[in-house]
Amino acid sequence: MTKKQAAGRAKVGITLDDVINAAFDVLAKGGLAKLSTRAIAGELGVSMNTVMWHIRTKDRLLDALANAVLEEVDLENLPEEWDEQVIELLQRLRRAMLGHRDGASLVAGTFPVASGTVAFSDRMAGALRRGCPTVRTAAWTTWNLFYFTLGLVQEEQAALTQDRERLRDFVDEGRFPGLSPALDDFMSVDFGGRFRFGIEQILSSAATTAAPEG
């Protein structure tokens, strides 16, 4: 068998996992803006039709990538206390998203009903039900914490230093007396500290405040 024939056979035998791994490679090189079927096909050395056969649509590809990120979150060996368990789960989610370029934007733009996403949500909701006054509080707090984590990691990954400097130049005490004295803290890049504080603040409220019944 010639090298060309062997390569052709390998290309025919690619799997969905191969496509997902190649998509993460493309993501690492160019971010979400450069993620395309054509780029993935080029990474694999196959035709676009071969890639499309596996993913069907780009939305399905993004769902698969987001689920793959969530599957990286270890759901075992968690602290016993419900609040520390939630904090640890979210810290692991943050690390998983930070492990991929535009990881938070990728996850934020999808809602895959798949193993990784549902298993993570199940573990979060289960922990919160132990500490929240009602099931609704636990359910809504699951979303609140998830959205908070996504938003803060998106900001962290964007690293918009230039925008921060523009904000500093724009805000003066005369026009914005509420924001100006707090500007350094408002623009803080201590993402780890802000992350822990935000989670603990939400959990403190969730433990004592029942969500309103409809």
Side-chain angles (χ1 to χ4, degrees), residues 157-178:
Q157 291 190 306
L160 301 176
T161 303
Q162 183 177 2
D163 286 351
R164 282 184 167 81
E165 292 308 312
R166 288 175 56 203
L167 181 62
R168 187 184 299 278
D169 293 339
F170 187 77
V171 174
D172 64 76
E173 189 171 0
R175 294 179 63 196
F176 305 102

Side-chain angles (χ1 to χ4, degrees), residues 16-188:
L16 177 59
D17 284 343
D18 294 326
V19 173
I20 291 173
N21 289 334
F24 276 125
D25 289 339
V26 172
L27 190 68
K29 295 173 183 177
L32 275 174
K34 299 295 184 181
L35 184 63
S36 67
T37 304
R38 184 182 301 277
I40 296 168
E43 188 73 24
L44 288 168
V46 299
S47 69
M48 288 178 58
N49 286 341
T50 300
V51 173
M52 290 302 298
W53 188 88
H54 285 283
I55 65 170
R56 310 303 183 203
T57 66
K58 186 173 182 180
D59 284 345
R60 185 180 173 190
L61 169 67
L62 294 176
D63 282 350
L65 292 176
N67 186 65
V69 172
L70 268 292
E71 285 185 333
E72 294 177 10
V73 180
D74 183 6
L75 303 180
E76 304 301 326
N77 303 311
L78 294 165
E80 182 61 31
E81 295 298 322
W82 72 274
D83 53 344
E84 288 299 322
Q85 190 171 120
V86 170
I87 292 169
E88 178 62 23
L89 281 167
L90 291 168
Q91 286 176 332
R92 293 179 186 184
L93 173 62
R94 176 174 176 250
R95 287 196 295 269
M97 292 191 294
L98 287 173
H100 299 279
R101 182 172 178 178
D102 292 341
S105 295
L106 170 66
V107 174
T110 61
F111 187 71
V113 181
S115 57
T117 305
V118 176
F120 179 84
S121 300
D122 176 75
R123 190 57 59 90
M124 278 277 295
L128 286 164
R129 284 185 62 187
R130 291 164 49 201
C132 294
T134 67
V135 172
R136 172 172 284 192
T137 305
W140 287 8
T141 303
T142 300
W143 280 117
N144 292 344
L145 288 166
F146 193 63
Y147 288 142
F148 168 76
T149 302
L150 288 176
L152 192 61
V153 177
Q154 280 182 292
E155 181 188 344
E156 184 173 2
Q157 291 190 306
L160 301 176
T161 303
Q162 183 177 2
D163 286 351
R164 282 184 167 81
E165 292 308 312
R166 288 175 56 203
L167 181 62
R168 187 184 299 278
D169 293 339
F170 187 77
V171 174
D172 64 76
E173 189 171 0
R175 294 179 63 196
F176 305 102
L179 184 58
S180 179
L183 193 58
D184 286 340
D185 290 320
F186 185 78
M187 298 190 302
S188 172

